Amino acid sequence: MKNNPIGIFDSGIGGLTIVKEIIKALPFESIIYLGDTARVPYGPRSKEVIAKFAKELAQFLLKRDVKCLVVACNTISATSLEEIVKISPVPVIGVVEPTIEAAVKTIRGKKIGVIGTAGTINSGVYEDKIGKLNKSIKVSVGACPLFVPLAEEGLGNHKATKIIAEGYLRGLKKKKIDTLILGCTHYPVLAATIQQIMGKQVKLVDSAKPTAQKLKQLLTEKELVTENRSPEYRFFVTDAPEKVIEVAGRFFGKGLDGNLAKINLPTL
Ligand code: DGL
């Protein structure tokens, strides 16, 4: 079990921002990644549809004997984590809780902002969980649906992105938040633009590092950390791989070394 791969999935390839940090934190672990590129984005979909799709992704990885599952997608973690936990015989972690814990630990004042897809924001999960950790923190949220295609198109620093971001972030700026959670796999790609608009005094917290650290802690507790083995990385998508190679590089920071293949899910 210890040397089995870690299973990581996302609605698309944005979850590679999280894989990148997991590789840094756990360099000997093998990874199987699945991105549902045929059906991305999940952000605008209903909770029922997201849960149905997400369970199919989890089943694919569970059949490949993964030792744990990482839900590397904010929208799935926010809406359907419980459903994945129910069907999984192995430990499951999502990105929402580790990100909240990191934000609450480092917060200087009492005002947190959260941005994410419509699915994530409408779930109310961030307000709910931050409230349970610390009642005195005020949480303001905002959906930024166009950030996903802008990040995928590599337009993070484009003037169109700045104009759109100014509109999305205006309300949060007025609230004088001191910490902003980037509650979406894609938003780290837009971090420089978001920081410029929000100002230096606002601390940005994304999901990648906190999730990788939480995974390391979980595997350590369960004595499932692999040591001194050369890892194997396999990447699967549900639509033609050549369509995502360039975009994947944007999130992963390097190429996927020819290890990218298309799979067929039963309902696709
Ligand atoms: N992976 C999604 C998230 O982190 C963004 C893309 C989508 O909408 O499916 O929320």
Side-chain angles (χ1 to χ4, degrees), residues 10-12 40-44 72-75 117 120 148 183-186:
D10 175 35
S11 57
V40 71
Y42 282 17
C73 173
N74 270 267
T75 306
T117 65
T120 296
V148 168
C184 175
T185 48
H186 287 57

Side-chain angles (χ1 to χ4, degrees), residues 27-266:
F28 302 114
E29 302 294 339
S30 290
I31 289 171
I32 307 185
Y33 179 88
L34 174 58
D36 195 2
T37 51
R39 299 185 293 198
V40 71
Y42 282 17
R45 297 183 190 273
S46 69
K47 185 175 156 38
E48 289 67 35
V49 169
I50 296 167
K52 178 174 174 286
F53 289 177
K55 280 193 272 185
E56 290 174 11
L57 305 181
Q59 298 284 15
F60 171 86
L61 294 169
L62 290 170
K63 280 194 198 126
R64 275 142 196 92
D65 290 332
V66 293
K67 64 180 170 188
C68 64
L69 283 176
V70 180
V71 184
C73 173
N74 270 267
T75 306
I76 302 175
S77 299
T79 59
S80 316
L81 191 68
E82 288 311 310
E83 312 243 10
I84 309 293
V85 171
K86 266 189 223 152
I87 61 160
S88 175
V90 296
V92 181
I93 72 160
V95 292
V96 172
E97 287 191 1
T99 313
I100 288 178
E101 282 167 21
V104 169
K105 223 184 263 167
T106 58
I107 190 170
R108 289 161 296 200
K110 290 274 175 224
K111 290 182 186 168
I112 290 188
V114 184
I115 52 174
T117 65
T120 296
I121 297 307
N122 293 339
S123 75
V125 75
Y126 278 94
E127 293 98 312
D128 208 40
K129 288 190 189 289
I130 294 172
K132 281 190 185 126
L133 269 183
N134 186 337
K135 271 205 190 75
S136 65
I137 295 176
K138 260 194 143 20
V139 187
S140 308
V141 300
C144 306
L146 287 174
F147 281 180
V148 168
L150 289 168
E152 296 212 349
E153 291 299 325
L155 297 175
N157 296 314
H158 195 278
K159 59 176 186 293
T161 306
K162 283 188 189 139
I163 294 168
I164 291 165
E166 265 159 8
Y168 280 156
L169 300 172
R170 194 165 295 133
L172 290 172
K173 253 194 110 163
K174 278 200 194 128
K175 296 256 162 67
K176 302 221 178 309
I177 55 165
D178 41 77
T179 300
L180 178 62
I181 293 180
L182 307 184
C184 175
T185 48
H186 287 57
Y187 298 0
V189 175
L190 304 181
T193 299
I194 296 170
Q195 187 80 70
Q196 199 189 351
I197 293 167
M198 295 307 294
K200 278 202 298 281
Q201 73 289 357
V202 175
K203 188 174 168 16
L204 305 187
V205 178
D206 72 53
S207 307
K209 274 205 183 96
T211 305
Q213 287 311 320
K214 188 80 177 183
L215 176 65
K216 189 172 179 179
Q217 187 189 331
L218 174 84
L219 294 184
T220 307
E221 276 164 19
K222 304 225 173 265
E223 296 182 5
L224 284 174
V225 178
T226 307
E227 278 147 24
N228 296 322
R229 245 171 154 250
S230 97
E232 198 182 297
Y233 304 132
R234 282 184 292 159
F235 301 93
F236 295 101
V237 285
T238 53
D239 201 347
E242 51 282 8
K243 282 175 66 177
V244 298
I245 285 177
E246 191 194 328
V247 186
R250 216 163 273 146
F251 294 102
F252 197 44
K254 57 179 180 160
L256 299 179
D257 302 333
N259 276 330
L260 181 65
K262 177 179 185 286
I263 56 133
N264 290 310
L265 287 175

